[in-house]
Amino acid sequence: MPELPEVATVRRGLEPWVGGAKIEKVTLNRPDLRFPFPPDFAPVLEGATIETVGRRAKYLLFRLDNGWTWLSHLGMTGSYRFAGRRFKEPSRYYEPGVDEKHDHVVLDLAHPSEGRLTLIYADPRRFGFMDLFQDEADSPYLAGLGPEPLSNAFNADEMAARFRGKQAPMKAALLDQRVVAGLGNIYVSEALHRAHILPTRAAGTLVLKSGAPSKRLDLLADGVRAVLNEAIEAGGSTLRDFRDAEGGAGYFQHHFAVYDREGEACPTPGCRGTIKRIVQSGRATYYCPVCQH
Ligand SMILES: [Zn+2]
């Protein structure tokens, strides 16, 4: 499952190629992905110009000049590529190989400097989906989402207000999309290790009696930002299928401190702990029982 840094990487890779491009034709090779396409999907897109590509949580948001936004979620295996074209360095994007039977959406674009481009969305497992909205408040996917972890709206005060009195373990509290949008399983483990917080600790125990955040919640807010920024710098990380623009494998190697490192030495300086793996709410959690408490 692509996490926020991977979606940010896809966004960054697409932006120079689709920003300013006019959508001339949309071909849907099936009526649905995880959900049906909106009935007016192709007519709304055709003739519109993509002004920018944004991101909210794990959603790509193509802002159109006709007032609509085209929302795209990559699910587990969704990817974008351009037919018959290689990217110029250093553009990167998500491309798990080419198998045309999974090319579900094909867009003919006219870009002001790149000329004609064919943008293809493929999604072998079809857990991705697309939608349209004019006002973010009307999107069932975006309404109710918590602050973006890389924005100033995400901070220790905000977390303290949400966590006060909560018995839920920290892991579950951080995966709650109303607390922070788009933070997935891998980066929760990484951020909690960075802040030396045990994933099983009750969230409310990190809030002071006054309702103010403890120092450790401050550290956690910084930890969340740091692990995401490092992963975005590394170009996304979690999918074996990630390819660079030229199709080279292994471009997105990113070093995790604890994730998938059961039995290895804890990388915290001076710590002699060994990384443990437990399962919380059906998902693997990795942590150090010595320096996380
Ligand atoms: Zn440790």
Side-chain angles (χ1 to χ4, degrees):
M1 169 91 63
E3 293 220 27
L4 189 152
E6 286 73 35
V7 180
T9 300
V10 173
R11 191 212 69 76
R12 190 171 63 186
L14 282 171
E15 171 99 67
W17 299 85
V18 304
K22 185 178 179 195
I23 303 170
E24 301 204 312
K25 186 162 171 256
V26 177
T27 307
L28 302 179
N29 290 328
R30 48 178 303 125
D32 58 3
L33 296 168
R34 191 193 323 179
F35 310 121
F37 288 98
D40 49 356
F41 186 75
V44 165
L45 264 58
E46 283 174 348
T49 294
I50 301 169
E51 292 182 327
T52 58
V53 190
R55 179 192 59 76
R56 176 85 167 101
K58 295 187 211 172
Y59 302 104
L60 291 168
L61 303 175
F62 298 82
R63 307 285 188 185
L64 308 180
D65 69 344
N66 61 8
W68 288 89
T69 298
W70 156 32
L71 173 150
S72 169
H73 190 283
L74 300 170
M76 312 255 308
T77 55
S79 70
Y80 285 96
R81 70 176 198 277
F82 290 97
R85 272 195 89 109
R86 294 186 141 203
F87 282 75
K88 294 170 188 164
E89 290 295 329
S91 297
R92 307 161 171 173
Y93 73 125
Y94 170 53
E95 184 192 20
V98 176
D99 182 347
E100 289 176 7
K101 76 171 183 284
H102 302 302
D103 291 352
H104 305 310
V105 183
V106 179
L107 294 103
D108 296 331
L109 304 179
H111 189 276
S113 57
E114 302 296 334
R116 299 203 174 272
L117 297 169
T118 304
L119 177 63
I120 297 167
Y121 177 80
D123 191 349
R125 295 187 66 183
R126 277 188 280 117
F127 284 107
F129 54 89
M130 295 185 184
D131 198 15
L132 292 169
F133 64 84
Q134 287 184 297
D135 188 335
E136 246 172 70
D138 297 332
S139 169
Y141 305 109
L142 303 186
L145 276 183
E148 274 297 310
L150 297 175
S151 77
N152 291 333
F154 173 70
N155 55 56
D157 290 332
E158 163 84 17
M159 270 194 287
R162 302 261 184 193
F163 291 173
R164 196 173 189 183
K166 289 266 159 60
Q167 292 304 307
M170 278 306 304
K171 166 88 183 285
L174 274 185
L175 282 176
D176 182 342
Q177 297 297 297
R178 292 165 299 179
V179 171
V180 52
L183 191 64
N185 198 49
I186 293 173
Y187 295 100
V188 167
S189 280
E190 292 293 307
L192 287 171
H193 179 260
R194 188 77 57 112
H196 304 299
I197 295 170
L198 207 55
T200 50
R201 170 182 275 280
T205 62
L206 291 172
V207 182
L208 304 179
K209 279 210 179 90
S210 65
S214 63
K215 270 214 175 86
R216 282 143 61 76
L217 266 193
D218 275 328
L219 278 178
L220 181 60
D222 293 343
V224 165
R225 271 191 280 274
V227 297
L228 291 176
N229 276 324
E230 285 167 22
I232 290 170
E233 277 306 302
S237 52
T238 58
L239 282 175
R240 280 179 213 96
D241 295 332
F242 255 57
R243 298 276 193 276
D244 73 356
E246 305 299 320
Y251 202 76
F252 291 92
Q253 294 301 315
H254 180 59
H255 180 86
F256 294 123
V258 291
Y259 189 82
D260 209 16
R261 292 190 170 272
E262 185 182 21
E264 294 184 31
C266 173
T268 298
C271 179
R272 310 180 90 175
T274 301
I275 304 307
K276 277 190 74 168
R277 177 187 187 275
I278 55 170
V279 174
Q280 291 179 286
S281 322
R283 312 282 307 274
T285 300
Y286 296 86
Y287 70 102
C288 171
V290 176
C291 66
Q292 289 177 252
H293 48 87

